[in-house]
Amino acid sequence: MDNAPKKVFVKTYGCQMNVYDSERMRDVLAPLGYAETVTPEEADLIILNTCHIREKAAEKVYSELGKIRRMKRVRAEQGAEMLIAVAGCVAQAEGEEIVRRAPAVDLVFGPQTYHRLPQLLARRRAAGRAVVETEFPAEDKFEGLDAKALPRKGVAAFLTVQEGCDKFCSFCVVPYTRGSEFSRPIEQVLTEARRMAAQGVKEVTLLGQNVNAYHGLDARGLSIGLAGLVGELSRIEGIERLRYTTSHPRDMTEDLIAAHAENPRLMPYLHLPVQSGSDSILKAMNRGHTADSYLRVIERVRSAKPDMAISGDFIVGFPGETDRDFESTLSLVRDVGYASAFSFKYSPRPGTPAAESDRQVPDGEMSARLHELQTLIHAQQTAFNAAMVGRTVPVLLEKPGRDPGQLVGRSPYLQSVHVQADPTLIGTIVDTHITGVGTNSLSGHYARAV
Ligand code: SAH
Ligand code: SF4
Ligand code: F3S
């Protein structure tokens, strides 16, 4: 295989899992001579790691491909080659269609096949035309990736521990694009986390579509849940903080809730999507929980850990959603009091049951509901942040800020905090006295090292 120095540009869309996958793609490409560039024009290989969760996500990819095609033409005029790859969830869902719509594309591969990138590139060269690979291979992708890992940069890192989904919410493409639920064996996760710790990572966020459904096998072949995994990880020296995302209300087990009370390394932040506050909509969504069972989970979590910051996801305008259903969503939001939340207009996804419904909600109505919901969420978020002023919180300093003398870090509640502090403190946790609050961040003064 040709491993002369080459450049790869990777653009990542979608969730944190894609961020993790993009890093792993760089790992696999490094032995082939690929170094990362931030300038697409000079790249020998451009990878778009795509997201299919909502309409605009895929459309953005096609418009980006239009721009890249022009870059590829300029490169060809200069006598150089530029390969274009589409990876991720749009690649998985659209497959050959991408090559039909954007013939300049050379490679199409899904989230479960990127460990085969070297072979895919070789096949592309041999074939002289586009290669599309969207199967779900039986081999363990992660086994194929681990030996090639490059050093991780930075203080905070993502670590995928679980992938795929068997829940089939009626609006969602993830079960089709990521495949069925799979948990990495515990030892594999621990090895990766130890390597991260050795490279200076202090905070690890465990990732999964349903991360709290994690059930990895230990060395004896016993199944361990997320709480057990968190326990093991918190014994690794150097890993000061642990987070996990995204959780499903149905999988919020007692031992995981207890871990929040007992394990000081597990951060008091829970992203727990609910989607709607109306039981009939939740039923039509096939969520497998009610508004009330969700609220009870929140109650249990808060009684174990009273300062827990709760975040969520909402969809407005799911087919058949009435004004009353929407009112129930607003009422649930008022009951919970979110630290932050994401909300989206329903987007019909090809191949999902809800897309077939003849009760689609008009766009104007969806916009009005989205606006109302976001106004409420924004007010809650602002109140949550404002309540921090005057308090002293431990902040993990991650990197230099925009202003001189300033560093940026995160509070336990995942808020961005700007602190006046010396750059040598990057990678440490410092008690910070919070003095100010902006739209999306806090500011404060360094009080002392923790
Ligand atoms: N596994 C996570 C969600 C992953 S998708 C969970 O079950 O909670 C992230 C978010 O995108 C979802 O929580 C949902 O709010 C939103 N989403 C998913 N499909 C959507 C669709 N078809 N239209 C609009 N929003 C959608
Ligand atoms: Fe999608 Fe539902 Fe699975 Fe989450 S649980 S990934 S929303 S199907
Ligand atoms: Fe998007 Fe795929 Fe993640 S559809 S949200 S990139 S799992």
Side-chain angles (χ1 to χ4, degrees):
M1 167 91 35
D2 165 26
N3 50 9
K6 289 179 277 294
K7 287 180 177 146
V8 57
F9 174 83
V10 188
K11 181 158 181 173
T12 310
Y13 302 81
C15 63
Q16 290 141 331
M17 239 165 190
N18 262 10
V19 175
Y20 176 85
D21 290 345
S22 291
E23 290 235 335
R24 304 311 311 257
M25 287 181 209
R26 293 179 197 113
D27 290 348
V28 201
L29 288 168
L32 305 186
Y34 282 97
E36 203 186 341
T37 176
V38 290
T39 318
E41 288 83 358
E42 63 169 33
D44 302 288
L45 170 63
I46 292 195
I47 303 177
L48 299 184
N49 193 13
T50 62
C51 171
H52 202 47
I53 203 80
R54 286 169 290 274
E55 207 98 58
K56 284 200 194 97
E59 285 316 309
K60 272 191 229 155
V61 171
Y62 282 111
S63 90
E64 191 69 26
L65 282 172
K67 276 191 254 166
I68 295 170
R69 190 190 57 205
R70 287 189 286 279
M71 287 180 212
K72 181 172 177 147
R73 208 179 299 140
V74 173
R75 287 277 286 180
E77 282 161 14
Q78 296 163 347
E81 189 186 38
M82 176 189 272
L83 294 175
I84 306 177
V86 180
C89 292
V90 176
Q92 188 64 43
E94 302 260 286
E96 295 278 351
E97 177 64 18
I98 296 180
V99 183
R100 265 193 294 275
R101 242 178 108 171
V105 169
D106 297 284
L107 283 178
V108 176
F109 53 92
Q112 302 309 341
T113 42
Y114 65 80
H115 59 300
R116 293 182 180 170
L117 248 172
Q119 294 92 306
L120 294 174
L121 284 164
R123 269 171 55 199
R124 162 67 187 80
R125 280 191 200 290
R129 60 185 154 75
V131 170
V132 177
E133 183 157 288
T134 50
E135 60 177 299
F136 291 110
E139 82 247 17
D140 181 353
K141 170 178 79 181
F142 295 102
E143 287 282 353
L145 288 169
D146 271 2
K148 305 186 186 87
L150 294 177
R152 292 284 162 262
K153 296 173 242 145
V155 171
F158 293 134
L159 202 176
T160 295
V161 301
Q162 180 276 341
E163 259 196 272
C165 182
D166 297 336
K167 293 202 165 65
F168 290 92
C169 299
S170 61
F171 52 83
C172 183
V173 286
V174 170
Y176 311 95
T177 64
R178 291 262 163 187
S180 51
E181 231 179 89
F182 167 80
S183 296
R184 294 177 70 183
I186 198 153
E187 230 5 88
Q188 210 185 65
V189 175
L190 293 176
T191 305
E192 194 168 332
R194 284 189 202 110
R195 189 165 58 218
M196 287 176 169
Q199 289 161 351
V201 169
K202 305 286 182 207
E203 177 177 300
V204 175
T205 302
L206 308 175
L207 300 180
Q209 281 313 330
N210 289 279
V211 73
N212 55 346
Y214 175 84
H215 55 280
L217 296 181
D218 70 4
R220 291 169 299 168
L222 297 174
S223 178
I224 307 285
L226 188 64
L229 178 63
V230 163
E232 293 286 332
L233 286 164
S234 57
R235 280 193 276 279
I236 298 177
E237 201 173 328
I239 307 278
E240 307 282 348
R241 288 180 164 189
L242 290 163
R243 301 180 186 276
Y244 60 90
T245 195
T246 295
S247 300
H248 195 286
R250 264 155 65 189
D251 298 313
M252 213 55 220
T253 55
E254 284 309 324
D255 57 350
L256 184 58
I257 294 175
H260 277 284
E262 293 155 10
N263 188 338
R265 296 199 166 164
L266 187 58
M267 290 295 102
Y269 182 94
L270 177 65
H271 182 63
L272 198 65
V274 59
Q275 318 300 353
S276 167
S278 151
D279 285 344
S280 58
I281 294 296
L282 287 169
K283 189 153 193 285
M285 284 177 164
N286 193 32
R287 287 287 294 177
H289 61 79
T290 60
D292 192 54
S293 67
Y294 176 85
L295 290 170
R296 281 203 314 263
V297 172
I298 301 286
E299 231 173 67
R300 273 157 51 212
V301 167
R302 281 194 168 139
S303 66
K305 185 77 184 150
D307 67 335
M308 193 81 126
I310 308 287
S311 141
D313 287 346
F314 294 88
I315 295 176
V316 299
F318 182 84
E321 186 185 72
T322 62
D323 281 335
R324 253 186 85 190
D325 293 319
F326 178 63
E327 281 302 323
S328 307
T329 298
L330 294 175
S331 146
L332 178 139
V333 172
R334 282 187 209 103
D335 283 349
V336 173
Y338 285 93
S340 77
F342 303 92
S343 46
F344 315 98
K345 281 189 208 175
Y346 168 71
S347 166
R349 305 284 68 210
T352 60
E356 309 293 316
S357 165
D358 52 11
R359 302 177 66 202
Q360 304 294 331
V361 174
D363 189 65
E365 213 146 303
M366 282 203 270
S367 300
R369 288 177 191 169
L370 187 68
H371 180 75
E372 195 173 345
L373 178 59
Q374 289 186 339
T375 306
L376 176 60
I377 290 168
H378 186 254
Q380 294 190 341
Q381 185 171 341
T382 307
F384 183 82
N385 288 339
M388 295 286 149
V389 176
R391 285 181 53 185
T392 299
V393 293
V395 173
L396 171 60
L397 297 170
E398 289 183 18
K399 55 186 178 211
R402 221 177 296 147
D403 301 336
Q406 191 186 59
L407 302 180
V408 190
R410 296 237 180 227
S411 76
Y413 315 103
L414 208 61
Q415 295 147 305
S416 249
V417 187
H418 298 266
V419 190
Q420 294 298 127
D422 193 86
T424 55
L425 290 170
I426 288 175
T428 66
I429 298 175
V430 298
D431 265 343
T432 301
H433 186 65
I434 304 298
T435 49
V437 49
T439 23
N440 288 311
S441 65
L442 306 173
S443 53
H445 298 296
Y446 165 69
R448 62 174 183 280
V450 176

